[in-house]
Amino acid sequence: MKLTILDGHGLNPGDLSWKAIKSLTDDFSVFERTPAELVAERIGNSEMILLNKVCITSEILEKCPNLKYIGVLATGFNVIDLQACRSRGITVTNIPSYSTDAVAQHVFAFILNFANS
């Protein structure tokens, strides 16, 4: 299966290895950032894509008939045309509890800061 990461910089700004993900597939590509005009071209015949901020529209999906899975590496689905994915049988997932603990810790740090100011 071909896996393409469209905006790798958001997931890995250079301090991590792609080795574990790369070992899962025989065809793997990472693009640090993908401008809107290159999305369909970079997806090409990929069956799986991972992204964060790249928008996937119905028009892009028309050009990428092999696509079976979209993994959003964030909490929302706002960058994906979910209806178009459903009609094509494309599975879309996200990370629903991404940074939940960190946000709670940050809030309490602010509360303590304000209480001691």
mmCIF file of all heavy atoms in Angstrom, residues 27-81:
data_model
loop_
_atom_site.group_PDB
_atom_site.id
_atom_site.type_symbol
_atom_site.label_atom_id
_atom_site.label_comp_id
_atom_site.label_asym_id
_atom_site.label_seq_id
_atom_site.Cartn_x
_atom_site.Cartn_y
_atom_site.Cartn_z
ATOM 1 N N ASP A 27 5.654 1.536 0.065
ATOM 2 C CA ASP A 27 5.727 2.758 -0.739
ATOM 3 C C ASP A 27 5.319 3.928 0.143
ATOM 4 O O ASP A 27 4.159 4.056 0.532
ATOM 5 C CB ASP A 27 4.796 2.628 -1.952
ATOM 6 C CG ASP A 27 5.068 3.681 -3.009
ATOM 7 O OD1 ASP A 27 5.847 4.619 -2.743
ATOM 8 O OD2 ASP A 27 4.486 3.569 -4.101
ATOM 9 N N PHE A 28 6.275 4.789 0.486
ATOM 10 C CA PHE A 28 6.087 5.823 1.498
ATOM 11 C C PHE A 28 6.686 7.139 1.018
ATOM 12 O O PHE A 28 7.823 7.166 0.563
ATOM 13 C CB PHE A 28 6.770 5.354 2.785
ATOM 14 C CG PHE A 28 6.753 6.343 3.909
ATOM 15 C CD1 PHE A 28 5.585 6.616 4.594
ATOM 16 C CD2 PHE A 28 7.912 6.988 4.292
ATOM 17 C CE1 PHE A 28 5.569 7.509 5.641
ATOM 18 C CE2 PHE A 28 7.917 7.879 5.344
ATOM 19 C CZ PHE A 28 6.739 8.144 6.026
ATOM 20 N N SER A 29 5.913 8.216 1.124
ATOM 21 C CA SER A 29 6.407 9.551 0.758
ATOM 22 C C SER A 29 6.020 10.542 1.839
ATOM 23 O O SER A 29 4.910 10.476 2.380
ATOM 24 C CB SER A 29 5.784 10.019 -0.562
ATOM 25 O OG SER A 29 6.101 9.157 -1.604
ATOM 26 N N VAL A 30 6.920 11.467 2.129
ATOM 27 C CA VAL A 30 6.649 12.541 3.082
ATOM 28 C C VAL A 30 6.932 13.868 2.395
ATOM 29 O O VAL A 30 8.007 14.065 1.829
ATOM 30 C CB VAL A 30 7.537 12.442 4.341
ATOM 31 C CG1 VAL A 30 7.261 13.617 5.271
ATOM 32 C CG2 VAL A 30 7.329 11.144 5.057
ATOM 33 N N PHE A 31 5.966 14.763 2.483
ATOM 34 C CA PHE A 31 6.146 16.130 2.007
ATOM 35 C C PHE A 31 6.022 17.031 3.222
ATOM 36 O O PHE A 31 5.060 16.931 3.981
ATOM 37 C CB PHE A 31 5.086 16.491 0.968
ATOM 38 C CG PHE A 31 5.164 15.640 -0.268
ATOM 39 C CD1 PHE A 31 4.357 14.527 -0.413
ATOM 40 C CD2 PHE A 31 6.075 15.940 -1.264
ATOM 41 C CE1 PHE A 31 4.441 13.735 -1.539
ATOM 42 C CE2 PHE A 31 6.167 15.149 -2.399
ATOM 43 C CZ PHE A 31 5.349 14.045 -2.538
ATOM 44 N N GLU A 32 6.992 17.897 3.430
ATOM 45 C CA GLU A 32 6.978 18.776 4.600
ATOM 46 C C GLU A 32 5.737 19.661 4.617
ATOM 47 O O GLU A 32 5.094 19.841 5.639
ATOM 48 C CB GLU A 32 8.243 19.636 4.642
ATOM 49 C CG GLU A 32 9.505 18.827 4.895
ATOM 50 C CD GLU A 32 9.451 18.097 6.226
ATOM 51 O OE1 GLU A 32 9.176 18.735 7.257
ATOM 52 O OE2 GLU A 32 9.677 16.879 6.230
ATOM 53 N N ARG A 33 5.405 20.231 3.480
ATOM 54 C CA ARG A 33 4.209 21.069 3.315
ATOM 55 C C ARG A 33 3.690 20.849 1.902
ATOM 56 O O ARG A 33 4.474 20.646 0.983
ATOM 57 C CB ARG A 33 4.552 22.532 3.527
ATOM 58 C CG ARG A 33 4.909 22.849 4.968
ATOM 59 C CD ARG A 33 5.358 24.308 5.121
ATOM 60 N NE ARG A 33 5.603 24.645 6.496
ATOM 61 C CZ ARG A 33 6.731 24.374 7.156
ATOM 62 N NH1 ARG A 33 7.713 23.743 6.551
ATOM 63 N NH2 ARG A 33 6.885 24.718 8.417
ATOM 64 N N THR A 34 2.383 20.914 1.719
ATOM 65 C CA THR A 34 1.797 20.734 0.404
ATOM 66 C C THR A 34 0.841 21.879 0.111
ATOM 67 O O THR A 34 -0.200 22.007 0.775
ATOM 68 C CB THR A 34 1.039 19.389 0.311
ATOM 69 O OG1 THR A 34 1.972 18.326 0.537
ATOM 70 C CG2 THR A 34 0.404 19.213 -1.053
ATOM 71 N N PRO A 35 1.162 22.717 -0.862
ATOM 72 C CA PRO A 35 0.235 23.789 -1.245
ATOM 73 C C PRO A 35 -1.008 23.208 -1.929
ATOM 74 O O PRO A 35 -0.964 22.113 -2.504
ATOM 75 C CB PRO A 35 1.053 24.644 -2.211
ATOM 76 C CG PRO A 35 2.141 23.759 -2.697
ATOM 77 C CD PRO A 35 2.387 22.730 -1.636
ATOM 78 N N ALA A 36 -2.108 23.932 -1.886
ATOM 79 C CA ALA A 36 -3.399 23.458 -2.393
ATOM 80 C C ALA A 36 -3.323 22.967 -3.828
ATOM 81 O O ALA A 36 -3.934 21.951 -4.170
ATOM 82 C CB ALA A 36 -4.448 24.562 -2.264
ATOM 83 N N GLU A 37 -2.559 23.638 -4.659
ATOM 84 C CA GLU A 37 -2.506 23.274 -6.080
ATOM 85 C C GLU A 37 -1.755 21.965 -6.340
ATOM 86 O O GLU A 37 -1.812 21.414 -7.434
ATOM 87 C CB GLU A 37 -1.912 24.408 -6.929
ATOM 88 C CG GLU A 37 -0.479 24.755 -6.622
ATOM 89 C CD GLU A 37 -0.287 25.772 -5.505
ATOM 90 O OE1 GLU A 37 -1.264 26.112 -4.797
ATOM 91 O OE2 GLU A 37 0.857 26.218 -5.332
ATOM 92 N N LEU A 38 -1.044 21.431 -5.346
ATOM 93 C CA LEU A 38 -0.289 20.185 -5.518
ATOM 94 C C LEU A 38 -0.877 18.991 -4.774
ATOM 95 O O LEU A 38 -0.334 17.887 -4.837
ATOM 96 C CB LEU A 38 1.162 20.386 -5.076
ATOM 97 C CG LEU A 38 2.007 21.343 -5.899
ATOM 98 C CD1 LEU A 38 3.415 21.461 -5.312
ATOM 99 C CD2 LEU A 38 2.069 20.900 -7.347
ATOM 100 N N VAL A 39 -1.989 19.175 -4.071
ATOM 101 C CA VAL A 39 -2.535 18.106 -3.227
ATOM 102 C C VAL A 39 -2.861 16.858 -4.041
ATOM 103 O O VAL A 39 -2.381 15.761 -3.737
ATOM 104 C CB VAL A 39 -3.765 18.589 -2.427
ATOM 105 C CG1 VAL A 39 -4.425 17.425 -1.697
ATOM 106 C CG2 VAL A 39 -3.361 19.666 -1.439
ATOM 107 N N ALA A 40 -3.673 16.991 -5.075
ATOM 108 C CA ALA A 40 -4.080 15.820 -5.868
ATOM 109 C C ALA A 40 -2.876 15.146 -6.516
ATOM 110 O O ALA A 40 -2.777 13.919 -6.536
ATOM 111 C CB ALA A 40 -5.102 16.220 -6.929
ATOM 112 N N GLU A 41 -1.955 15.944 -7.013
ATOM 113 C CA GLU A 41 -0.747 15.387 -7.652
ATOM 114 C C GLU A 41 0.084 14.590 -6.659
ATOM 115 O O GLU A 41 0.562 13.503 -6.971
ATOM 116 C CB GLU A 41 0.080 16.526 -8.248
ATOM 117 C CG GLU A 41 1.363 16.090 -8.890
ATOM 118 C CD GLU A 41 2.188 17.278 -9.377
ATOM 119 O OE1 GLU A 41 1.606 18.309 -9.767
ATOM 120 O OE2 GLU A 41 3.425 17.181 -9.340
ATOM 121 N N ARG A 42 0.238 15.112 -5.446
ATOM 122 C CA ARG A 42 1.054 14.417 -4.443
ATOM 123 C C ARG A 42 0.368 13.181 -3.883
ATOM 124 O O ARG A 42 1.027 12.204 -3.551
ATOM 125 C CB ARG A 42 1.451 15.382 -3.331
ATOM 126 C CG ARG A 42 2.483 16.377 -3.830
ATOM 127 C CD ARG A 42 3.045 17.218 -2.754
ATOM 128 N NE ARG A 42 4.139 18.033 -3.262
ATOM 129 C CZ ARG A 42 4.750 18.955 -2.552
ATOM 130 N NH1 ARG A 42 4.382 19.184 -1.295
ATOM 131 N NH2 ARG A 42 5.726 19.648 -3.083
ATOM 132 N N ILE A 43 -0.952 13.214 -3.789
ATOM 133 C CA ILE A 43 -1.674 12.005 -3.374
ATOM 134 C C ILE A 43 -1.525 10.948 -4.457
ATOM 135 O O ILE A 43 -1.257 9.788 -4.157
ATOM 136 C CB ILE A 43 -3.164 12.298 -3.111
ATOM 137 C CG1 ILE A 43 -3.322 13.209 -1.895
ATOM 138 C CG2 ILE A 43 -3.933 10.990 -2.912
ATOM 139 C CD1 ILE A 43 -4.735 13.702 -1.672
ATOM 140 N N GLY A 44 -1.700 11.352 -5.703
ATOM 141 C CA GLY A 44 -1.525 10.440 -6.833
ATOM 142 C C GLY A 44 -2.309 9.159 -6.658
ATOM 143 O O GLY A 44 -3.521 9.180 -6.462
ATOM 144 N N ASN A 45 -1.627 8.030 -6.690
ATOM 145 C CA ASN A 45 -2.299 6.724 -6.551
ATOM 146 C C ASN A 45 -2.189 6.161 -5.131
ATOM 147 O O ASN A 45 -2.339 4.955 -4.926
ATOM 148 C CB ASN A 45 -1.762 5.730 -7.580
ATOM 149 C CG ASN A 45 -0.283 5.461 -7.392
ATOM 150 O OD1 ASN A 45 0.371 6.080 -6.561
ATOM 151 N ND2 ASN A 45 0.256 4.538 -8.165
ATOM 152 N N SER A 46 -1.958 7.030 -4.151
ATOM 153 C CA SER A 46 -1.886 6.597 -2.748
ATOM 154 C C SER A 46 -3.205 5.995 -2.300
ATOM 155 O O SER A 46 -4.278 6.462 -2.680
ATOM 156 C CB SER A 46 -1.562 7.773 -1.826
ATOM 157 O OG SER A 46 -0.300 8.295 -2.095
ATOM 158 N N GLU A 47 -3.099 4.996 -1.449
ATOM 159 C CA GLU A 47 -4.286 4.403 -0.839
ATOM 160 C C GLU A 47 -4.547 4.983 0.550
ATOM 161 O O GLU A 47 -5.673 4.962 1.034
ATOM 162 C CB GLU A 47 -4.118 2.894 -0.759
ATOM 163 C CG GLU A 47 -4.132 2.268 -2.141
ATOM 164 C CD GLU A 47 -3.125 1.145 -2.293
ATOM 165 O OE1 GLU A 47 -1.955 1.338 -1.903
ATOM 166 O OE2 GLU A 47 -3.515 0.105 -2.790
ATOM 167 N N MET A 48 -3.479 5.510 1.173
ATOM 168 C CA MET A 48 -3.591 6.092 2.503
ATOM 169 C C MET A 48 -2.855 7.425 2.520
ATOM 170 O O MET A 48 -1.777 7.537 1.931
ATOM 171 C CB MET A 48 -2.949 5.176 3.551
ATOM 172 C CG MET A 48 -3.516 3.791 3.609
ATOM 173 S SD MET A 48 -2.646 2.750 4.816
ATOM 174 C CE MET A 48 -1.033 2.574 4.055
ATOM 175 N N ILE A 49 -3.454 8.404 3.214
ATOM 176 C CA ILE A 49 -2.749 9.666 3.414
ATOM 177 C C ILE A 49 -2.884 10.087 4.871
ATOM 178 O O ILE A 49 -3.864 9.756 5.542
ATOM 179 C CB ILE A 49 -3.263 10.802 2.490
ATOM 180 C CG1 ILE A 49 -4.757 11.079 2.696
ATOM 181 C CG2 ILE A 49 -2.948 10.495 1.039
ATOM 182 C CD1 ILE A 49 -5.269 12.303 1.940
ATOM 183 N N LEU A 50 -1.874 10.777 5.361
ATOM 184 C CA LEU A 50 -1.894 11.399 6.677
ATOM 185 C C LEU A 50 -1.698 12.889 6.452
ATOM 186 O O LEU A 50 -0.896 13.300 5.603
ATOM 187 C CB LEU A 50 -0.783 10.849 7.568
ATOM 188 C CG LEU A 50 -0.840 9.358 7.893
ATOM 189 C CD1 LEU A 50 0.385 8.957 8.725
ATOM 190 C CD2 LEU A 50 -2.117 9.000 8.625
ATOM 191 N N LEU A 51 -2.422 13.703 7.226
ATOM 192 C CA LEU A 51 -2.336 15.151 7.056
ATOM 193 C C LEU A 51 -2.763 15.838 8.332
ATOM 194 O O LEU A 51 -3.266 15.205 9.252
ATOM 195 C CB LEU A 51 -3.204 15.599 5.872
ATOM 196 C CG LEU A 51 -4.672 15.166 5.912
ATOM 197 C CD1 LEU A 51 -5.529 16.170 6.618
ATOM 198 C CD2 LEU A 51 -5.153 14.940 4.506
ATOM 199 N N ASN A 52 -2.575 17.143 8.352
ATOM 200 C CA ASN A 52 -3.014 17.946 9.477
ATOM 201 C C ASN A 52 -3.837 19.125 8.987
ATOM 202 O O ASN A 52 -5.002 19.243 9.303
ATOM 203 C CB ASN A 52 -1.811 18.420 10.292
ATOM 204 C CG ASN A 52 -2.221 19.094 11.590
ATOM 205 O OD1 ASN A 52 -3.314 19.588 11.739
ATOM 206 N ND2 ASN A 52 -1.323 19.115 12.549
ATOM 207 N N LYS A 53 -3.263 19.988 8.177
ATOM 208 C CA LYS A 53 -3.934 21.206 7.739
ATOM 209 C C LYS A 53 -4.323 21.208 6.263
ATOM 210 O O LYS A 53 -4.967 22.120 5.792
ATOM 211 C CB LYS A 53 -3.017 22.414 7.985
ATOM 212 C CG LYS A 53 -2.533 22.555 9.404
ATOM 213 C CD LYS A 53 -3.585 23.145 10.285
ATOM 214 C CE LYS A 53 -3.025 23.469 11.643
ATOM 215 N NZ LYS A 53 -3.723 22.873 12.729
ATOM 216 N N VAL A 54 -3.928 20.218 5.505
ATOM 217 C CA VAL A 54 -4.212 20.171 4.078
ATOM 218 C C VAL A 54 -5.702 19.863 3.868
ATOM 219 O O VAL A 54 -6.226 18.924 4.454
ATOM 220 C CB VAL A 54 -3.349 19.104 3.377
ATOM 221 C CG1 VAL A 54 -3.742 18.949 1.924
ATOM 222 C CG2 VAL A 54 -1.878 19.471 3.503
ATOM 223 N N CYS A 55 -6.369 20.650 3.035
ATOM 224 C CA CYS A 55 -7.790 20.450 2.760
ATOM 225 C C CYS A 55 -7.998 19.394 1.683
ATOM 226 O O CYS A 55 -7.328 19.405 0.649
ATOM 227 C CB CYS A 55 -8.429 21.765 2.311
ATOM 228 S SG CYS A 55 -8.488 22.987 3.620
ATOM 229 N N ILE A 56 -8.931 18.489 1.949
ATOM 230 C CA ILE A 56 -9.296 17.445 0.991
ATOM 231 C C ILE A 56 -10.747 17.688 0.585
ATOM 232 O O ILE A 56 -11.671 17.506 1.375
ATOM 233 C CB ILE A 56 -9.127 16.033 1.587
ATOM 234 C CG1 ILE A 56 -7.697 15.815 2.083
ATOM 235 C CG2 ILE A 56 -9.537 14.976 0.574
ATOM 236 C CD1 ILE A 56 -6.633 15.863 0.994
ATOM 237 N N THR A 57 -10.920 18.119 -0.657
ATOM 238 C CA THR A 57 -12.238 18.451 -1.188
ATOM 239 C C THR A 57 -12.743 17.333 -2.097
ATOM 240 O O THR A 57 -11.996 16.428 -2.471
ATOM 241 C CB THR A 57 -12.161 19.744 -2.003
ATOM 242 O OG1 THR A 57 -11.294 19.515 -3.132
ATOM 243 C CG2 THR A 57 -11.626 20.904 -1.166
ATOM 244 N N SER A 58 -13.990 17.445 -2.476
ATOM 245 C CA SER A 58 -14.583 16.494 -3.409
ATOM 246 C C SER A 58 -13.824 16.491 -4.736
ATOM 247 O O SER A 58 -13.614 15.436 -5.339
ATOM 248 C CB SER A 58 -16.052 16.845 -3.643
ATOM 249 O OG SER A 58 -16.645 15.941 -4.526
ATOM 250 N N GLU A 59 -13.382 17.661 -5.176
ATOM 251 C CA GLU A 59 -12.636 17.773 -6.428
ATOM 252 C C GLU A 59 -11.315 17.011 -6.356
ATOM 253 O O GLU A 59 -10.909 16.353 -7.311
ATOM 254 C CB GLU A 59 -12.373 19.242 -6.782
ATOM 255 C CG GLU A 59 -13.610 20.039 -7.117
ATOM 256 C CD GLU A 59 -14.397 20.500 -5.898
ATOM 257 O OE1 GLU A 59 -13.839 20.517 -4.758
ATOM 258 O OE2 GLU A 59 -15.590 20.805 -6.067
ATOM 259 N N ILE A 60 -10.652 17.076 -5.222
ATOM 260 C CA ILE A 60 -9.396 16.337 -5.041
ATOM 261 C C ILE A 60 -9.679 14.843 -5.035
ATOM 262 O O ILE A 60 -8.965 14.063 -5.666
ATOM 263 C CB ILE A 60 -8.680 16.782 -3.751
ATOM 264 C CG1 ILE A 60 -8.128 18.198 -3.939
ATOM 265 C CG2 ILE A 60 -7.578 15.804 -3.363
ATOM 266 C CD1 ILE A 60 -7.620 18.851 -2.690
ATOM 267 N N LEU A 61 -10.733 14.430 -4.343
ATOM 268 C CA LEU A 61 -11.067 13.014 -4.279
ATOM 269 C C LEU A 61 -11.392 12.439 -5.655
ATOM 270 O O LEU A 61 -11.085 11.283 -5.934
ATOM 271 C CB LEU A 61 -12.239 12.790 -3.316
ATOM 272 C CG LEU A 61 -11.946 13.113 -1.844
ATOM 273 C CD1 LEU A 61 -13.215 13.001 -1.016
ATOM 274 C CD2 LEU A 61 -10.844 12.240 -1.289
ATOM 275 N N GLU A 62 -11.982 13.241 -6.514
ATOM 276 C CA GLU A 62 -12.274 12.808 -7.894
ATOM 277 C C GLU A 62 -11.000 12.405 -8.628
ATOM 278 O O GLU A 62 -11.005 11.484 -9.440
ATOM 279 C CB GLU A 62 -12.960 13.929 -8.674
ATOM 280 C CG GLU A 62 -14.391 14.158 -8.316
ATOM 281 C CD GLU A 62 -15.307 13.072 -8.838
ATOM 282 O OE1 GLU A 62 -15.036 12.521 -9.920
ATOM 283 O OE2 GLU A 62 -16.287 12.768 -8.141
ATOM 284 N N LYS A 63 -9.916 13.097 -8.323
ATOM 285 C CA LYS A 63 -8.633 12.866 -9.003
ATOM 286 C C LYS A 63 -7.807 11.754 -8.354
ATOM 287 O O LYS A 63 -6.751 11.404 -8.866
ATOM 288 C CB LYS A 63 -7.820 14.161 -9.028
ATOM 289 C CG LYS A 63 -8.492 15.283 -9.787
ATOM 290 C CD LYS A 63 -7.715 16.577 -9.647
ATOM 291 C CE LYS A 63 -8.461 17.724 -10.299
ATOM 292 N NZ LYS A 63 -7.773 19.001 -10.077
ATOM 293 N N CYS A 64 -8.287 11.230 -7.224
ATOM 294 C CA CYS A 64 -7.516 10.236 -6.458
ATOM 295 C C CYS A 64 -8.373 9.003 -6.174
ATOM 296 O O CYS A 64 -8.745 8.738 -5.018
ATOM 297 C CB CYS A 64 -7.025 10.871 -5.155
ATOM 298 S SG CYS A 64 -6.080 12.377 -5.397
ATOM 299 N N PRO A 65 -8.684 8.225 -7.204
ATOM 300 C CA PRO A 65 -9.624 7.108 -7.046
ATOM 301 C C PRO A 65 -9.115 5.945 -6.186
ATOM 302 O O PRO A 65 -9.921 5.136 -5.725
ATOM 303 C CB PRO A 65 -9.861 6.652 -8.488
ATOM 304 C CG PRO A 65 -8.623 7.061 -9.223
ATOM 305 C CD PRO A 65 -8.181 8.341 -8.567
ATOM 306 N N ASN A 66 -7.817 5.841 -5.941
ATOM 307 C CA ASN A 66 -7.278 4.737 -5.138
ATOM 308 C C ASN A 66 -7.374 4.977 -3.635
ATOM 309 O O ASN A 66 -7.137 4.068 -2.842
ATOM 310 C CB ASN A 66 -5.820 4.475 -5.494
ATOM 311 C CG ASN A 66 -5.668 3.900 -6.877
ATOM 312 O OD1 ASN A 66 -6.614 3.378 -7.453
ATOM 313 N ND2 ASN A 66 -4.472 4.008 -7.426
ATOM 314 N N LEU A 67 -7.689 6.204 -3.234
ATOM 315 C CA LEU A 67 -7.674 6.574 -1.821
ATOM 316 C C LEU A 67 -8.714 5.780 -1.027
ATOM 317 O O LEU A 67 -9.884 5.715 -1.392
ATOM 318 C CB LEU A 67 -7.933 8.075 -1.682
ATOM 319 C CG LEU A 67 -7.521 8.741 -0.390
ATOM 320 C CD1 LEU A 67 -6.049 8.497 -0.081
ATOM 321 C CD2 LEU A 67 -7.788 10.231 -0.461
ATOM 322 N N LYS A 68 -8.252 5.173 0.084
ATOM 323 C CA LYS A 68 -9.119 4.360 0.935
ATOM 324 C C LYS A 68 -9.147 4.860 2.380
ATOM 325 O O LYS A 68 -10.060 4.542 3.136
ATOM 326 C CB LYS A 68 -8.646 2.911 0.933
ATOM 327 C CG LYS A 68 -8.793 2.213 -0.405
ATOM 328 C CD LYS A 68 -8.201 0.809 -0.341
ATOM 329 C CE LYS A 68 -8.378 0.028 -1.601
ATOM 330 N NZ LYS A 68 -7.808 0.571 -2.794
ATOM 331 N N TYR A 69 -8.111 5.623 2.776
ATOM 332 C CA TYR A 69 -7.994 6.044 4.171
ATOM 333 C C TYR A 69 -7.364 7.427 4.254
ATOM 334 O O TYR A 69 -6.358 7.702 3.593
ATOM 335 C CB TYR A 69 -7.132 5.046 4.958
ATOM 336 C CG TYR A 69 -6.807 5.520 6.354
ATOM 337 C CD1 TYR A 69 -7.758 5.421 7.371
ATOM 338 C CD2 TYR A 69 -5.591 6.084 6.651
ATOM 339 C CE1 TYR A 69 -7.479 5.872 8.649
ATOM 340 C CE2 TYR A 69 -5.295 6.540 7.926
ATOM 341 C CZ TYR A 69 -6.244 6.434 8.927
ATOM 342 O OH TYR A 69 -5.965 6.893 10.179
ATOM 343 N N ILE A 70 -7.965 8.283 5.097
ATOM 344 C CA ILE A 70 -7.409 9.602 5.403
ATOM 345 C C ILE A 70 -7.271 9.691 6.915
ATOM 346 O O ILE A 70 -8.258 9.556 7.645
ATOM 347 C CB ILE A 70 -8.308 10.749 4.895
ATOM 348 C CG1 ILE A 70 -8.487 10.666 3.380
ATOM 349 C CG2 ILE A 70 -7.740 12.098 5.320
ATOM 350 C CD1 ILE A 70 -9.520 11.630 2.826
ATOM 351 N N GLY A 71 -6.062 9.902 7.404
ATOM 352 C CA GLY A 71 -5.809 10.082 8.826
ATOM 353 C C GLY A 71 -5.495 11.536 9.102
ATOM 354 O O GLY A 71 -4.493 12.055 8.615
ATOM 355 N N VAL A 72 -6.363 12.203 9.857
ATOM 356 C CA VAL A 72 -6.148 13.599 10.231
ATOM 357 C C VAL A 72 -5.384 13.597 11.548
ATOM 358 O O VAL A 72 -5.865 13.059 12.542
ATOM 359 C CB VAL A 72 -7.477 14.365 10.371
ATOM 360 C CG1 VAL A 72 -7.221 15.821 10.738
ATOM 361 C CG2 VAL A 72 -8.295 14.275 9.087
ATOM 362 N N LEU A 73 -4.215 14.184 11.551
ATOM 363 C CA LEU A 73 -3.344 14.169 12.728
ATOM 364 C C LEU A 73 -3.644 15.347 13.645
ATOM 365 O O LEU A 73 -2.756 16.065 14.086
ATOM 366 C CB LEU A 73 -1.881 14.161 12.276
ATOM 367 C CG LEU A 73 -1.521 12.991 11.361
ATOM 368 C CD1 LEU A 73 -0.120 13.149 10.810
ATOM 369 C CD2 LEU A 73 -1.681 11.674 12.088
ATOM 370 N N ALA A 74 -4.934 15.544 13.913
ATOM 371 C CA ALA A 74 -5.425 16.612 14.775
ATOM 372 C C ALA A 74 -6.794 16.191 15.301
ATOM 373 O O ALA A 74 -7.258 15.090 15.014
ATOM 374 C CB ALA A 74 -5.509 17.917 13.991
ATOM 375 N N THR A 75 -7.468 17.095 16.028
ATOM 376 C CA THR A 75 -8.744 16.733 16.646
ATOM 377 C C THR A 75 -9.942 16.892 15.724
ATOM 378 O O THR A 75 -10.949 16.234 15.917
ATOM 379 C CB THR A 75 -8.989 17.583 17.901
ATOM 380 O OG1 THR A 75 -8.934 18.961 17.543
ATOM 381 C CG2 THR A 75 -7.976 17.284 18.980
ATOM 382 N N GLY A 76 -9.878 17.767 14.756
ATOM 383 C CA GLY A 76 -11.055 18.064 13.937
ATOM 384 C C GLY A 76 -11.052 17.403 12.577
ATOM 385 O O GLY A 76 -10.062 16.822 12.141
ATOM 386 N N PHE A 77 -12.219 17.513 11.924
ATOM 387 C CA PHE A 77 -12.380 17.016 10.559
ATOM 388 C C PHE A 77 -12.655 18.173 9.599
ATOM 389 O O PHE A 77 -13.096 17.953 8.477
ATOM 390 C CB PHE A 77 -13.571 16.053 10.471
ATOM 391 C CG PHE A 77 -13.375 14.747 11.173
ATOM 392 C CD1 PHE A 77 -14.114 14.448 12.298
ATOM 393 C CD2 PHE A 77 -12.487 13.807 10.688
ATOM 394 C CE1 PHE A 77 -13.968 13.221 12.938
ATOM 395 C CE2 PHE A 77 -12.321 12.586 11.315
ATOM 396 C CZ PHE A 77 -13.066 12.297 12.439
ATOM 397 N N ASN A 78 -12.478 19.395 10.057
ATOM 398 C CA ASN A 78 -12.881 20.563 9.267
ATOM 399 C C ASN A 78 -12.131 20.712 7.945
ATOM 400 O O ASN A 78 -12.569 21.452 7.072
ATOM 401 C CB ASN A 78 -12.735 21.838 10.102
ATOM 402 C CG ASN A 78 -11.311 22.054 10.579
ATOM 403 O OD1 ASN A 78 -10.698 21.133 11.104
ATOM 404 N ND2 ASN A 78 -10.803 23.248 10.426
ATOM 405 N N VAL A 79 -11.048 20.015 7.750
ATOM 406 C CA VAL A 79 -10.295 20.112 6.496
ATOM 407 C C VAL A 79 -10.689 19.034 5.487
ATOM 408 O O VAL A 79 -10.140 18.972 4.391
ATOM 409 C CB VAL A 79 -8.757 20.071 6.739
ATOM 410 C CG1 VAL A 79 -8.309 21.283 7.542
ATOM 411 C CG2 VAL A 79 -8.356 18.775 7.421
ATOM 412 N N ILE A 80 -11.650 18.193 5.857
ATOM 413 C CA ILE A 80 -12.048 17.061 5.016
ATOM 414 C C ILE A 80 -13.515 17.193 4.606
ATOM 415 O O ILE A 80 -14.376 17.476 5.445
ATOM 416 C CB ILE A 80 -11.883 15.720 5.780
ATOM 417 C CG1 ILE A 80 -10.495 15.586 6.386
ATOM 418 C CG2 ILE A 80 -12.223 14.533 4.886
ATOM 419 C CD1 ILE A 80 -9.380 15.494 5.393
ATOM 420 N N ASP A 81 -13.807 16.956 3.347
ATOM 421 C CA ASP A 81 -15.190 16.874 2.878
ATOM 422 C C ASP A 81 -15.689 15.476 3.242
ATOM 423 O O ASP A 81 -15.517 14.522 2.482
ATOM 424 C CB ASP A 81 -15.261 17.114 1.372
ATOM 425 C CG ASP A 81 -16.677 17.156 0.842
ATOM 426 O OD1 ASP A 81 -17.576 16.556 1.476
ATOM 427 O OD2 ASP A 81 -16.890 17.772 -0.221
#
